[in-house]
Amino acid sequence: MKCVIFLLCALLANVVYSETVVDELEDAKLLVAKNVLNNYIVEGLNLTIKYTVHNIGSSPALNVKLQDENFPAEYFEYASGFSVAQWARIPPKSNVDHVVIVSPKMPGMFNLTSAVVTYLPSEKASKVQTGYSTELGEVYIQRLSDYNRRYASQTLNWILFIIIASPSILIPFFLWKSSTNKYQKSKKAKKSN
Amino acid sequence: MSTKSGKPKNLTKEEESLLQDYSRDLSTKSSALFYGNAAIISAVPIWLYWKIHQMEPANNYIYFLLVTVVTTYLISFAYKNVKFVLKHKIFQNLDNVVQDEKDKKNDDRSLKKKNEIAEFEATTYSIFYNNSLFLFILMVASFILFKNFTPLFNYFLSMGLSAGLLALFSTSK
């Protein structure tokens, strides 16, 4: 009797669990990854941000809207893309990308927080689902002069420096050399006579 | 003969000319040449610090001016010392190369000619040598020794070290 009750309980638990898991995956579920594609974040230079929206659910996500208010106009300038991206439908088990290029206006520490995604998890759903992307945390925006000093190509500047500095060395050298040669030749000529 | 009050006797033109040749004092023309060249070579690194170390002249012109003035003085000091030592060596090496048929009978003219040549060669070689050494020490100091300092400190230390060493080395024989 005890064995039968135990087996019945185990069967019931399995059914409940299975139904719960199936319920979770029936609707759409969006996961958003926010990535910076640059190696360095520099004042005045382009900063590329890529948002990847994954639908891990079994239903298409509808009326998807991705919004990132993390780049206010006083600190950043949009070079390409928009802060808001919309998709009518993201199929299940698929992902979409959105790329934005911004340019920081001033150096210093800056906190890059999450973007917000809103969507309808199924066709029957009336309540909008909200999700948040990964966040990048505090980043340091370098000064352009510091970046140029460390990483910019200086070949042309070196060539110009050599051109500017050369007369100060070459002109006195050639004057000295011509005078020395002139009197060396005279000395040799007198010795041979 | 000096008087009891200690006034020196008046020197003849020949004696004054001899003193001028053997002293470290420069003529006005030589001074102008040395200070002009020293100013140019002191100003050349400004380009380096502006374009490579990213020091904007608009923000740093006071420091550029101050350091250029100090290094001009030190470099011209080095020019003068090196020229003085070289001139005597060159003079001795010139021998009789400048004597021709006419000058054989005129030792004074020959001596004057030798002096002019020695003066010219010593001046040009002094400028060449000191400029080369200054730029070499500056490159080593700016891009190796003080590489990790802020641009402003790098400028002060590199220029100071280069001009200072130049002046120091010039005092040796």
Side-chain angles (χ1 to χ4, degrees):
Chain A
M1 189 62 183
K2 281 183 185 177
C3 283
V4 169
I5 293 167
F6 175 74
L7 279 169
L8 276 171
C9 287
L11 190 66
L12 192 67
N14 191 34
V15 166
V16 167
Y17 174 73
S18 300
E19 282 183 358
T20 312
V21 166
V22 164
D23 281 342
E24 282 183 356
L25 291 178
E26 261 185 13
D27 293 343
K29 182 148 182 78
L30 296 184
L31 301 179
V32 184
K34 177 177 172 180
N35 292 307
V36 168
L37 301 185
N38 291 46
N39 287 331
Y40 304 103
I41 304 174
V42 185
E43 165 205 11
L45 297 184
N46 287 343
L47 170 65
T48 308
I49 313 283
K50 182 180 171 187
Y51 305 88
T52 307
V53 184
H54 302 265
N55 183 0
I56 62 168
S58 303
S59 300
L62 305 168
N63 297 343
V64 181
K65 183 179 175 186
L66 176 71
Q67 194 163 357
D68 193 351
E69 299 299 334
N70 213 205
F71 304 106
E74 56 197 284
Y75 298 108
F76 292 90
E77 188 184 333
Y78 274 84
S80 174
F82 301 98
S83 60
V84 177
Q86 298 187 68
W87 296 271
R89 189 174 182 278
I90 297 178
K93 312 293 182 198
S94 65
N95 57 272
V96 292
D97 292 330
H98 174 61
V99 176
V100 162
I101 301 176
V102 296
S103 173
K105 287 181 178 175
M106 52 187 77
M109 296 298 289
F110 198 84
N111 194 16
L112 293 180
T113 55
S114 306
V116 177
V117 64
T118 55
Y119 60 99
L120 289 172
S122 68
E123 286 177 10
K124 297 172 191 172
S126 55
K127 189 182 172 189
V128 171
Q129 198 85 349
T130 304
Y132 297 91
S133 73
T134 53
E135 62 174 37
L136 302 164
E138 281 207 326
V139 295
Y140 178 66
I141 301 172
Q142 291 186 49
R143 282 185 189 282
L144 186 62
S145 58
D146 291 344
Y147 174 80
N148 283 339
R149 191 162 2 102
R150 286 196 191 113
Y151 306 112
S153 168
Q154 303 287 1
T155 310
L156 185 64
N157 289 328
W158 276 110
I159 291 169
L160 289 171
F161 174 72
I162 289 167
I163 291 169
I164 291 168
S166 296
S168 301
I169 294 170
L170 294 177
I171 291 173
F173 174 74
F174 284 122
L175 286 172
W176 168 75
K177 196 71 185 165
S178 67
S179 178
T180 312
N181 286 346
K182 182 179 168 187
Y183 292 104
Q184 288 291 338
K185 278 180 188 172
S186 302
K187 197 174 180 179
K188 279 179 187 173
K190 289 198 188 299
K191 273 187 181 174
S192 64
N193 289 340
Chain B
M1 301 289 290
S2 57
T3 61
K4 284 185 183 176
S5 63
K7 285 184 190 172
K9 68 166 189 177
N10 289 332
L11 298 169
T12 61
K13 273 191 181 176
E14 288 80 16
E15 283 170 340
E16 272 183 15
S17 172
L18 210 64
L19 272 174
Q20 175 66 24
D21 290 343
Y22 285 92
S23 80
R24 286 178 185 264
D25 293 340
L26 299 170
S27 62
T28 311
K29 186 183 164 188
S30 288
S31 284
L33 188 68
F34 279 169
Y35 278 109
N37 274 283
I40 290 169
I41 201 68
S42 299
V44 160
I46 291 173
W47 171 267
L48 201 73
Y49 279 87
W50 174 18
K51 289 295 177 182
I52 295 174
H53 289 284
Q54 303 287 317
M55 278 180 73
E56 287 296 322
N59 301 332
N60 299 295
Y61 69 93
I62 293 281
Y63 306 118
F64 285 151
L65 197 65
L66 200 72
V67 170
T68 302
V69 166
V70 171
T71 51
T72 299
Y73 173 75
L74 290 171
I75 292 171
S76 59
F77 175 78
Y79 284 159
K80 191 170 76 171
N81 290 344
V82 171
K83 178 221 160 189
F84 177 75
V85 170
L86 273 177
K87 185 179 170 182
H88 294 291
K89 287 182 186 172
I90 292 168
F91 192 88
Q92 284 158 13
N93 287 338
L94 275 176
D95 211 350
N96 295 320
V97 296
V98 296
Q99 277 185 324
D100 58 17
E101 290 299 323
K102 290 180 187 175
D103 287 343
K104 272 180 187 171
K105 296 177 185 178
N106 195 339
D107 285 338
D108 282 345
R109 207 181 274 183
S110 166
L111 211 66
K112 194 178 174 186
K113 181 76 177 167
K114 275 169 67 174
N115 191 49
E116 280 172 10
I117 295 166
E119 175 89 13
F120 178 78
E121 288 188 12
T123 302
T124 50
Y125 191 81
S126 172
I127 293 171
F128 158 69
Y129 170 79
N130 282 301
N131 285 356
S132 307
L133 191 60
F134 174 74
L135 287 178
F136 175 74
I137 298 172
L138 182 70
M139 292 299 114
V140 170
S142 181
F143 294 98
I144 299 172
L145 291 178
F146 305 124
K147 185 176 70 167
N148 293 322
F149 285 58
T150 58
L152 188 62
F153 277 112
N154 187 321
Y155 180 62
F156 280 134
L157 293 172
S158 300
M159 292 290 280
L161 182 73
S162 308
L165 282 179
L166 214 66
L168 182 69
F169 292 157
S170 72
T171 57
S172 69
K173 292 181 184 176

